[in-house]
Amino acid sequence: MTVIGALGIAGVAFVLTGTSWSDVVDQPLLGSAVFLAVAAIFGEVKPIRLIREGGEERTLSTSAPFILALLAVSGVGAAVLVQVIASLLDDILHRRPWQKSLFNISQYALSVVAAGAVYTWLAGIPFLGVSTIGPGDSIGALLVAGTAMVAVNWFLVAGVVSLATSQPLSLALREESWHAFVTHIVLLTIGGIAADVAADGVATLALLVPPVIAAHLFTASAARHAHDATHDSLTGLGNRGHLYYQLEHAFDSSGPVRLGGPGLVLVDLDHFKDFNDTLGHPVGDEILRQVGARLLEIAPEGASVHRLGGDEFAVVVRGDLAQTRQVARDVLASLDAPVHVESLELLVRASAGVAVAPLHGDDGETLMKNADIALYHAKLERDRISTFSQEFDINTVERLRLLADLRTALDTGELHVVYQPQYDLTDGRAVAVEALVRWRHPERGPVRADEFIPLAENSGLIFPVTAFVLETALAQLARWHASGRNLRMSVNLSARHLSDQGLPQQVAAALTRHGVPASSLVLEVTETAILSDPARADLVLHALRRLGVSIAIDDYGTGNASLSYLRRLEIDELKIDRSFVSNIGADHHDLIIVRSTIALALALDLRVVAEGIEDAETVTALRGLGHVIGQGYHLGRPVEASALDRVFGTEQGVATAESGEPTTGPIRSV
């Protein structure tokens, strides 16, 4: 760029000082020359917008034909001066840095000087003089000169690109687009026409204005449609199709030998659904717009930013692994500052997955797949940023496939609900059931809950899964109530539900729909779920209790909560974790813990459920510790509602279990 800048300045100085400006001013076609100068300046500052394949936007100046015509009408000096003025005005309007402006002026000036040299040599006229022949008398020489002007400009730009990117000149020339070169040549025919009719005056030249305006309007409309097809309407960022084009483009421009790159950063906002459900979609849309703007701001030169849909974004980085990981860190750091939407101040967090060629793929599709795997790993492991690694490829792909199957299972009826009974150990009555979701995969068979529930929680599918369980369980509870069986129904909630302030309305609507009293529903949450976001959990739990719904703490003893904290939250039920209950006959310390917990809970008027009862001895021991409700395989395994109907008909659960004999029917056979 420095060499071109120096040559350009020298060329401009030589031409401007060597031109006889009095001859230029005194020429008979001064009016036509002024018109051509104004048209050239306008064509430079108001270029035609073109959209290349993949949605990449380029501009095409329409100044070239008028500069070429001015070369024939007023000579090389006038053409160079007008080109310098037009280029300088365009750079000032677009606030380009002075280094870039100097390069632009120099390359355009050298192109015009080259065209002037070719034209004056072919036409046989002085290089720095005003032509004495009619400007239309040497159209052939003028068109050849115009071709030279476009070619010199093309080679200068490609040469700088080649040096800056260390790619072959031939590749850089192709990058600058053969189509653009041909388009410029076509435009130069207008220059030939302008030169030919210049002698007829300004009025005749003005006839060239409508075609140029029509070209502007037509290409502007086409550019808008092409832009809309490749960009996201909400944020203005490139869409998924544009991302794949940019990846392909980055692979092509990196040449046959790559030290590293391109890189891809996939970004997914954490718990974005909570913002949408709680604050409304207009707030969610504004969050996405502001996030997109921040990503554009931090993206390095040469990178492209895209929104892939929903709350997922992508950044294509022209760099190696270290540079791509730095972009991922910059992306997450850009979200440290709160997002301001009207009077709200919101903290938005995200996770990022990183993949870089050639380490993680030699084509765009592979790179995208592996970045997606890395993103999934980051969300699953709570790493925030994860770089793709072969070591979790197979497992993660398997989990992604399972997640996709789970989405399908919600629509195809593969999920079903089973129920595990809870018995009052004092009198042996069945008082409640816990609803548990099960999945029969058409190919894999039964899928364990500890396999797919964590996937659902991390992907957001936990919301439709829980909605399915709630609706199914309440429908079954309504049938049991109608038959005279007065039971409570327990349904599990995840940590993500405690951040969903729309949950109370959803639960109220489900209770109304099935005609079930709120007091019959128990919603189970874990201690860690409450502590993950205590302030929001307080709001949601209090709203649920105002409905009359009971709140139970599941797996009590495995987290960090205290009974005083639970009392402040107005908890109704405490479920002592099976890891303590199942060992009270063999471990004296576990017996002390369970006995103390039961005593304190009962003193606080909490209902106590002991999980993990595996034998008759545990039933007897718990009965001696107070009024306890029991749940476990010894009392009854999770079974279909029809199987429980048969057990409830005999009401033998605790009575037979206490004797040490297996309970009858499906309770022990499943």
Side-chain angles (χ1 to χ4, degrees):
M1 286 183 66
T2 303
V3 174
I4 293 176
L7 289 175
I9 291 174
V12 170
F14 170 73
V15 170
L16 295 185
T17 56
T19 297
S20 174
W21 293 104
S22 59
D23 292 343
V24 173
V25 173
D26 292 339
Q27 65 167 310
L29 299 181
L30 181 60
S32 295
V34 171
F35 179 90
L36 293 172
V38 171
I41 292 172
F42 179 84
E44 188 70 33
V45 299
K46 287 290 187 181
I48 292 175
R49 290 176 59 219
L50 300 175
I51 304 295
R52 296 176 59 186
E53 181 185 359
E56 183 181 0
E57 182 175 321
R58 288 292 182 91
T59 57
L60 178 64
S61 169
T62 56
S63 64
F66 302 108
I67 292 292
L68 187 65
L70 192 63
L71 178 68
V73 171
S74 298
V76 177
V80 169
L81 177 62
V82 171
Q83 181 63 73
V84 168
I85 293 172
S87 181
L88 184 60
L89 283 175
D90 183 52
D91 291 337
I92 291 173
L93 287 173
H94 291 89
R95 300 180 180 179
R96 297 189 180 100
W98 68 268
Q99 300 94 330
K100 176 69 173 176
S101 180
L102 178 62
F103 173 75
N104 288 341
I105 292 172
S106 298
Q107 62 152 329
Y108 290 137
L110 290 173
S111 301
V112 176
V113 169
V118 171
Y119 176 67
T120 54
W121 173 60
L122 292 176
I125 58 177
F127 177 66
L128 293 178
V130 178
S131 176
T132 56
I133 64 174
D137 295 339
S138 188
I139 295 297
L142 190 62
L143 293 179
V144 173
T147 303
M149 179 172 69
V150 174
V152 168
N153 181 68
W154 192 32
F155 272 91
L156 288 176
V157 173
V160 170
V161 171
S162 176
L163 291 173
T165 61
S166 301
Q167 66 184 29
L169 178 61
S170 59
L171 188 63
L173 286 170
R174 189 171 74 247
E175 174 74 10
E176 283 307 302
S177 179
W178 169 255
H179 298 292
F181 178 80
V182 173
T183 304
H184 271 102
I185 299 300
V186 172
L187 276 176
L188 292 179
T189 58
I190 297 177
I193 297 172
D196 189 41
V197 302
D200 296 329
V202 173
T204 304
L205 282 173
L207 296 176
L208 297 176
V209 173
V212 174
I213 293 176
H216 272 273
L217 294 176
F218 177 78
T219 54
S221 176
R224 280 195 302 273
H225 289 298
H227 182 276
D228 291 343
T230 56
H231 286 73
D232 171 50
S233 60
L234 179 65
T235 62
L237 303 176
N239 58 18
R240 187 177 293 270
H242 192 239
L243 167 68
Y244 279 108
Y245 171 80
Q246 287 292 336
L247 280 174
E248 181 182 349
H249 186 263
F251 274 105
D252 289 344
S253 62
S254 61
V257 179
R258 291 195 303 273
L259 297 177
L264 178 63
V265 180
L266 289 186
V267 181
D268 187 84
L269 303 186
D270 296 335
H271 309 306
F272 178 73
K273 184 179 185 298
D274 296 340
F275 291 114
N276 260 344
D277 292 347
T278 305
L279 303 174
H281 288 282
V283 172
D285 290 348
E286 181 58 26
I287 291 173
L288 294 175
R289 278 190 287 265
Q290 292 194 35
V291 169
R294 292 188 187 187
L295 298 191
L296 277 177
E297 187 176 347
I298 62 94
E301 184 176 358
S304 59
V305 182
H306 311 263
R307 180 186 174 218
L308 306 186
D311 58 347
E312 191 173 8
F313 296 82
V315 184
V316 177
V317 182
R318 305 295 181 97
D320 57 16
L321 179 58
Q323 293 168 309
T324 305
R325 282 189 59 85
Q326 184 58 52
V327 170
R329 287 191 290 269
D330 292 342
V331 165
L332 298 193
S334 72
L335 301 177
D336 286 344
V339 172
H340 296 275
V341 182
E342 297 176 351
S343 61
L344 300 174
E345 189 175 87
L346 307 171
L347 287 175
V348 179
R349 293 290 180 263
S351 301
V354 173
V356 179
L359 293 173
H360 308 135
D362 284 318
D363 57 74
E365 185 175 349
T366 304
L367 208 62
M368 182 70 178
K369 182 197 76 171
N370 290 339
D372 198 34
I373 290 173
L375 173 62
Y376 179 79
H377 188 267
K379 295 184 75 68
L380 195 65
E381 304 299 332
R382 307 296 187 186
D383 288 338
R384 299 206 70 199
I385 297 177
S386 180
T387 301
F388 176 76
S389 171
Q390 293 292 343
E391 67 185 23
F392 54 74
D393 179 21
I394 296 176
N395 291 335
T396 306
V397 169
E398 184 66 18
R399 284 183 289 185
L400 287 172
R401 187 176 294 116
L402 193 63
L403 185 62
D405 290 346
L406 180 56
R407 288 192 176 96
T408 303
L410 283 164
D411 300 325
T412 57
E414 295 169 21
L415 298 182
H416 65 286
V417 176
V418 295
Y419 305 91
Q420 186 171 26
Q422 298 175 355
Y423 292 95
D424 187 330
L425 299 185
T426 303
D427 56 18
R429 290 183 304 109
V431 294
V433 292
E434 180 178 1
L436 301 166
V437 65
R438 295 292 183 262
W439 180 11
R440 294 192 194 96
H441 193 283
E443 297 174 1
R444 302 168 185 261
V447 182
R448 297 198 316 271
D450 59 3
E451 285 187 64
F452 71 86
I453 291 298
L455 293 179
E457 289 179 340
N458 283 282
S459 67
L461 282 180
I462 193 64
F463 292 102
V465 168
T466 302
F468 165 77
V469 174
L470 183 65
E471 291 290 336
T472 305
L474 290 180
Q476 179 58 49
L477 185 61
R479 286 191 287 271
W480 277 328
H481 282 190
S483 66
R485 177 65 60 178
N486 188 22
L487 298 170
R488 291 186 300 272
M489 178 69 71
S490 292
V491 175
N492 290 279
L493 298 180
S494 75
R496 299 189 72 169
H497 286 100
L498 298 187
S499 298
D500 182 6
Q501 296 188 37
L503 178 66
Q505 292 88 339
Q506 177 188 350
V507 171
L511 290 168
T512 302
R513 190 158 43 247
H514 296 287
V516 173
S519 58
S520 297
L521 177 62
V522 181
L523 296 176
E524 298 185 8
V525 296
T526 63
E527 301 171 28
T528 51
I530 294 174
L531 294 177
S532 64
D533 189 355
R536 192 172 291 186
D538 280 1
L539 293 174
V540 174
L541 291 177
H542 281 304
L544 288 170
R545 289 198 84 256
R546 283 196 297 271
L547 293 176
V549 172
S550 296
I551 303 298
I553 299 301
D554 197 12
D555 300 336
Y556 183 76
T558 59
N560 303 305
S562 66
L563 285 172
S564 62
Y565 179 77
L566 300 177
R567 184 57 175 169
R568 181 176 65 81
L569 283 176
E570 301 179 11
I571 299 302
D572 302 282
E573 180 176 295
L574 197 66
K575 298 190 75 173
I576 305 175
D577 187 64
R578 68 185 66 250
S579 62
F580 299 105
V581 174
S582 60
N583 287 329
I584 61 175
D587 191 318
H588 185 62
H589 291 92
D590 282 351
L591 176 60
I592 293 174
I593 291 172
V594 171
R595 182 171 60 202
S596 301
T597 302
I598 291 173
L600 287 172
L602 292 176
L604 292 172
D605 293 327
L606 298 180
R607 194 164 53 235
V608 180
V609 178
E611 295 187 284
I613 297 177
E614 306 295 340
D615 51 48
E617 289 76 13
T618 304
V619 173
T620 303
L622 287 170
R623 179 176 289 168
L625 299 180
H627 187 189
V628 178
I629 296 169
Q631 180 178 350
Y633 280 8
H634 185 70
L635 303 178
R637 290 174 177 266
V639 293
E640 302 285 347
S642 57
L644 267 188
D645 285 336
R646 291 193 292 272
V647 173
F648 289 157
T650 59
E651 197 68 73
Q652 301 184 54
V654 176
T656 54
E658 184 182 1
S659 68
E661 300 174 2
T663 52
T664 60
I667 281 187
R668 297 295 292 178
S669 64
V670 176

